[in-house]
Amino acid sequence: MCTSGSSDHATSSSRRITQNIPLQRAFLLLIGLVFGCIATRWMYSSDCSGNSDEVIKAKAAASARLRFGDREPTIFSKIVDKSLPADIIHEDDLCVAFQSNNPLAPVHFLIVPKDPIPALEMADDDDTQLLGHMMNVARKTAVKEGLDNGYRVVINDGPDGAQSVYHLHIHVMGGRQMGWPPG
């Protein structure tokens, strides 16, 4: 009798373990998902990984551009046509320079062409004079803004370049020691 009772207990125990296998797998899957989410969040929030918020925005903007084209005016087009306010520090027939609303340095301004070119990669030989003019405006405006100890000039191009607004723009940043490498 003792053996028979032990066998029933073993069968019952074995049945419980077998019934719990899907629960164990679900639990392990849940643990994996939680750790995966934590690791992904850490990777995408790290400035050193190349997956900063700006890179994520750039990839989303590139995807939207490929999917929908450039139908809507950009934020920079709205600054150029004055439908969006900005602290404009230079304006001429070809371009506009204005203070960044998200400065990454004590002095940070942008220069955009009035006739939008979506990205530097889309400029052609006919744009050579405009591009040179924008670089000259960067130089003159940097002097006007007091950047007499140097500054950084940046053009983000395409998704790998972290371009989040598809209207060519030059960033000019200064007023502090810049690090190297910049990427």
Side-chain angles (χ1 to χ4, degrees):
M1 253 190 166
C2 213
T3 311
S4 168
S6 163
S7 173
D8 287 340
H9 178 69
T11 306
S12 166
S13 212
S14 161
R15 204 174 297 131
R16 269 187 260 131
I17 291 172
T18 315
Q19 290 171 343
N20 287 337
I21 287 178
L23 287 173
Q24 291 168 347
R25 286 184 181 157
F27 179 73
L28 290 175
L29 180 62
L30 179 63
I31 295 296
L33 284 171
V34 168
F35 282 116
C37 288
I38 291 169
T40 301
R41 181 68 186 150
W42 174 77
M43 284 179 8
Y44 280 96
S45 66
S46 170
D47 289 337
C48 298
S49 70
N51 289 317
S52 67
D53 288 342
E54 194 64 22
V55 171
I56 294 166
K57 288 183 213 170
K59 289 180 179 179
S63 174
R65 184 177 129 235
L66 291 174
R67 238 174 113 199
F68 304 114
D70 291 324
R71 296 181 187 155
E72 294 294 316
T74 67
I75 189 170
F76 298 151
S77 298
K78 293 176 182 180
I79 290 171
V80 167
D81 73 12
K82 309 280 193 300
S83 63
L84 193 65
D87 183 4
I88 295 175
I89 54 177
H90 172 88
E91 183 171 9
D92 60 35
D93 292 342
L94 299 176
C95 65
V96 174
F98 53 91
Q99 298 292 347
S100 173
N101 68 346
N102 186 25
L104 301 176
V107 175
H108 183 176
F109 61 90
L110 294 91
I111 303 158
V112 301
K114 285 189 171 181
D115 290 328
I117 300 169
L120 184 59
E121 70 185 31
M122 297 174 147
D124 58 30
D125 290 344
D126 293 339
D127 298 313
T128 301
Q129 188 173 4
L130 171 64
L131 297 173
H133 176 74
M134 290 173 63
M135 291 299 287
N136 199 35
V137 167
R139 178 188 62 82
K140 288 179 179 179
T141 308
V143 169
K144 191 170 97 176
E145 292 294 306
L147 297 177
D148 53 358
N149 205 32
Y151 49 92
R152 179 163 289 160
V153 176
V154 176
I155 298 174
N156 300 324
D157 189 73
D160 283 355
Q163 183 178 3
S164 57
V165 178
Y166 279 82
H167 183 143
L168 176 65
H169 54 286
I170 298 173
H171 294 262
V172 179
M173 296 171 278
R176 67 170 169 85
Q177 176 63 57
M178 297 292 166
W180 193 262

